[in-house]
Amino acid sequence: DRDQSRLDLAASLGISHGVLAGTDRTLEAVRAVTGEEGARIVIEATGIPSVVPQCFDFARQGGDLVLLGSPRGAEVVDVTPIFERVHLWRPHCSVTVKGAHEWRLPFYRTPFNRHSMEENAQAIFALIARGKLDLSRVIDHVVPAGEAPFAYERLRTDPGKWSGILFDWTAA
């Protein structure tokens, strides 16, 4: 992440390693945890397009890069080095890029998909029921659904104070 308070929250929730992105020491911090090999899974959650090409440096050969962040702006980039990182078998290459936005999943389980929105909801509710997922630690604002544009703007401009939003649909 690019916000230290979010990394602190992640650590308090049991995430063992988070790295402050976008600094001249980011690669060094990743390598301090993973060694020269790189990380098996890299999650890009900043939504800053210029960060994506850097993420390949963090991944190990044959690793996964998960694009979780929603793009916030355009980035003009030469895609040839990115294709090399996906297709070639050498250190920090042969990286599989995966999208992580839920709307790309089917609503219901099928024999042809590994995941569905239905299964994700069941898994989340099961974690909550077993006391393994405490959402009160990650929801910092409850906002009427009609104020979604305002809330998303706050996520973008003030990530230290806005990180987890619950939309209240009762007035919608």
Tab-separated table of all heavy atoms in Angstrom, residues 1-20 137-138 159-160 163:
chain	number	residue	atom	x	y	z
A	1	ASP	N	0.847	-1.180	0.000
A	1	ASP	CA	0.000	0.000	0.000
A	1	ASP	C	0.881	1.228	0.000
A	1	ASP	O	2.068	1.156	0.297
A	1	ASP	CB	-0.936	-0.015	1.217
A	1	ASP	CG	-2.195	0.803	0.966
A	1	ASP	OD1	-2.083	2.021	0.739
A	1	ASP	OD2	-3.279	0.215	0.991
A	2	ARG	N	0.298	2.351	-0.303
A	2	ARG	CA	1.035	3.615	-0.270
A	2	ARG	C	0.700	4.412	0.982
A	2	ARG	O	1.157	5.535	1.132
A	2	ARG	CB	0.732	4.423	-1.518
A	2	ARG	CG	1.293	3.752	-2.762
A	2	ARG	CD	1.130	4.597	-3.961
A	2	ARG	NE	2.120	5.665	-3.911
A	2	ARG	CZ	2.748	6.131	-4.964
A	2	ARG	NH1	2.494	5.638	-6.139
A	2	ARG	NH2	3.611	7.108	-4.850
A	3	ASP	N	-0.062	3.834	1.887
A	3	ASP	CA	-0.445	4.529	3.105
A	3	ASP	C	-0.036	3.668	4.311
A	3	ASP	O	-0.520	2.541	4.469
A	3	ASP	CB	-1.961	4.767	3.113
A	3	ASP	CG	-2.375	5.618	4.285
A	3	ASP	OD1	-2.599	5.051	5.370
A	3	ASP	OD2	-2.466	6.842	4.105
A	4	GLN	N	0.838	4.199	5.142
A	4	GLN	CA	1.360	3.435	6.272
A	4	GLN	C	0.265	3.020	7.242
A	4	GLN	O	0.316	1.927	7.812
A	4	GLN	CB	2.447	4.224	7.007
A	4	GLN	CG	3.127	3.435	8.105
A	4	GLN	CD	3.826	2.187	7.609
A	4	GLN	OE1	4.592	2.239	6.661
A	4	GLN	NE2	3.567	1.043	8.249
A	5	SER	N	-0.758	3.849	7.440
A	5	SER	CA	-1.812	3.476	8.382
A	5	SER	C	-2.560	2.232	7.910
A	5	SER	O	-2.993	1.413	8.731
A	5	SER	CB	-2.775	4.644	8.615
A	5	SER	OG	-3.477	4.964	7.439
A	6	ARG	N	-2.710	2.063	6.612
A	6	ARG	CA	-3.351	0.845	6.097
A	6	ARG	C	-2.465	-0.371	6.319
A	6	ARG	O	-2.950	-1.459	6.629
A	6	ARG	CB	-3.679	0.992	4.616
A	6	ARG	CG	-4.831	1.924	4.352
A	6	ARG	CD	-5.097	1.989	2.876
A	6	ARG	NE	-6.300	2.739	2.602
A	6	ARG	CZ	-7.010	2.621	1.505
A	6	ARG	NH1	-6.636	1.786	0.560
A	6	ARG	NH2	-8.093	3.336	1.327
A	7	LEU	N	-1.169	-0.206	6.158
A	7	LEU	CA	-0.248	-1.314	6.440
A	7	LEU	C	-0.281	-1.676	7.922
A	7	LEU	O	-0.222	-2.864	8.281
A	7	LEU	CB	1.169	-0.948	6.001
A	7	LEU	CG	1.376	-0.808	4.497
A	7	LEU	CD1	2.759	-0.243	4.201
A	7	LEU	CD2	1.169	-2.133	3.790
A	8	ASP	N	-0.393	-0.676	8.775
A	8	ASP	CA	-0.490	-0.930	10.216
A	8	ASP	C	-1.770	-1.704	10.541
A	8	ASP	O	-1.749	-2.643	11.348
A	8	ASP	CB	-0.454	0.377	11.006
A	8	ASP	CG	0.881	1.109	10.884
A	8	ASP	OD1	1.884	0.467	10.493
A	8	ASP	OD2	0.904	2.324	11.165
A	9	LEU	N	-2.884	-1.322	9.904
A	9	LEU	CA	-4.139	-2.043	10.102
A	9	LEU	C	-3.998	-3.488	9.635
A	9	LEU	O	-4.400	-4.415	10.339
A	9	LEU	CB	-5.287	-1.357	9.345
A	9	LEU	CG	-6.621	-2.108	9.344
A	9	LEU	CD1	-7.166	-2.273	10.760
A	9	LEU	CD2	-7.628	-1.398	8.455
A	10	ALA	N	-3.407	-3.687	8.472
A	10	ALA	CA	-3.213	-5.048	7.953
A	10	ALA	C	-2.386	-5.885	8.930
A	10	ALA	O	-2.712	-7.042	9.206
A	10	ALA	CB	-2.553	-5.005	6.578
A	11	ALA	N	-1.332	-5.310	9.469
A	11	ALA	CA	-0.499	-6.027	10.437
A	11	ALA	C	-1.290	-6.388	11.683
A	11	ALA	O	-1.165	-7.497	12.218
A	11	ALA	CB	0.729	-5.189	10.800
A	12	SER	N	-2.145	-5.477	12.138
A	12	SER	CA	-2.943	-5.763	13.332
A	12	SER	C	-3.971	-6.861	13.085
A	12	SER	O	-4.459	-7.477	14.025
A	12	SER	CB	-3.647	-4.495	13.834
A	12	SER	OG	-4.768	-4.182	13.029
A	13	LEU	N	-4.286	-7.103	11.816
A	13	LEU	CA	-5.243	-8.155	11.456
A	13	LEU	C	-4.555	-9.474	11.109
A	13	LEU	O	-5.200	-10.417	10.687
A	13	LEU	CB	-6.107	-7.693	10.281
A	13	LEU	CG	-7.009	-6.496	10.588
A	13	LEU	CD1	-7.628	-5.948	9.309
A	13	LEU	CD2	-8.092	-6.889	11.580
A	14	GLY	N	-3.225	-9.516	11.248
A	14	GLY	CA	-2.499	-10.763	11.048
A	14	GLY	C	-1.749	-10.892	9.739
A	14	GLY	O	-1.166	-11.942	9.471
A	15	ILE	N	-1.741	-9.864	8.914
A	15	ILE	CA	-0.961	-9.920	7.679
A	15	ILE	C	0.509	-9.821	8.072
A	15	ILE	O	0.929	-8.859	8.711
A	15	ILE	CB	-1.348	-8.780	6.712
A	15	ILE	CG1	-2.821	-8.850	6.354
A	15	ILE	CG2	-0.458	-8.785	5.476
A	15	ILE	CD1	-3.248	-10.121	5.659
A	16	SER	N	1.297	-10.818	7.693
A	16	SER	CA	2.671	-10.891	8.187
A	16	SER	C	3.612	-9.915	7.504
A	16	SER	O	4.584	-9.459	8.120
A	16	SER	CB	3.211	-12.316	8.040
A	16	SER	OG	3.174	-12.721	6.686
A	17	HIS	N	3.359	-9.590	6.239
A	17	HIS	CA	4.287	-8.716	5.525
A	17	HIS	C	3.525	-7.766	4.619
A	17	HIS	O	2.812	-8.196	3.725
A	17	HIS	CB	5.263	-9.522	4.673
A	17	HIS	CG	6.063	-10.518	5.440
A	17	HIS	ND1	7.017	-10.142	6.358
A	17	HIS	CD2	6.039	-11.852	5.456
A	17	HIS	CE1	7.553	-11.226	6.890
A	17	HIS	NE2	6.971	-12.278	6.366
A	18	GLY	N	3.685	-6.497	4.856
A	18	GLY	CA	3.155	-5.457	3.978
A	18	GLY	C	4.291	-4.506	3.663
A	18	GLY	O	5.188	-4.303	4.480
A	19	VAL	N	4.276	-3.949	2.476
A	19	VAL	CA	5.375	-3.095	2.050
A	19	VAL	C	4.815	-1.764	1.583
A	19	VAL	O	3.831	-1.722	0.838
A	19	VAL	CB	6.172	-3.775	0.907
A	19	VAL	CG1	7.212	-2.841	0.333
A	19	VAL	CG2	6.813	-5.061	1.412
A	20	LEU	N	5.449	-0.685	2.014
A	20	LEU	CA	5.070	0.649	1.573
A	20	LEU	C	5.488	0.804	0.114
A	20	LEU	O	6.676	0.740	-0.217
A	20	LEU	CB	5.739	1.702	2.459
A	20	LEU	CG	5.263	3.130	2.298
A	20	LEU	CD1	3.772	3.254	2.627
A	20	LEU	CD2	6.069	4.059	3.184
A	137	ARG	N	-13.316	-4.189	12.640
A	137	ARG	CA	-11.941	-3.690	12.601
A	137	ARG	C	-11.571	-3.088	11.253
A	137	ARG	O	-10.573	-2.393	11.152
A	137	ARG	CB	-10.972	-4.819	12.928
A	137	ARG	CG	-11.275	-5.472	14.250
A	137	ARG	CD	-10.202	-5.530	15.283
A	137	ARG	NE	-8.897	-5.058	15.028
A	137	ARG	CZ	-7.821	-5.826	15.018
A	137	ARG	NH1	-7.924	-7.120	15.186
A	137	ARG	NH2	-6.637	-5.293	14.828
A	138	VAL	N	-12.355	-3.373	10.223
A	138	VAL	CA	-11.999	-2.870	8.898
A	138	VAL	C	-13.008	-1.861	8.341
A	138	VAL	O	-12.715	-1.161	7.384
A	138	VAL	CB	-11.783	-4.006	7.875
A	138	VAL	CG1	-10.586	-4.852	8.260
A	138	VAL	CG2	-13.012	-4.868	7.730
A	159	PRO	N	-6.816	8.054	2.081
A	159	PRO	CA	-6.825	6.628	2.416
A	159	PRO	C	-6.477	6.328	3.865
A	159	PRO	O	-6.843	5.274	4.375
A	159	PRO	CB	-5.784	6.032	1.462
A	159	PRO	CG	-4.889	7.171	1.124
A	159	PRO	CD	-5.759	8.396	1.145
A	160	GLY	N	-5.824	7.240	4.552
A	160	GLY	CA	-5.503	7.010	5.952
A	160	GLY	C	-6.714	7.039	6.860
A	160	GLY	O	-6.737	6.404	7.909
A	163	SER	N	-10.801	3.661	4.640
A	163	SER	CA	-10.290	2.424	4.056
A	163	SER	C	-11.358	1.350	3.936
A	163	SER	O	-11.296	0.519	3.043
A	163	SER	CB	-9.102	1.899	4.858
A	163	SER	OG	-9.473	1.642	6.190
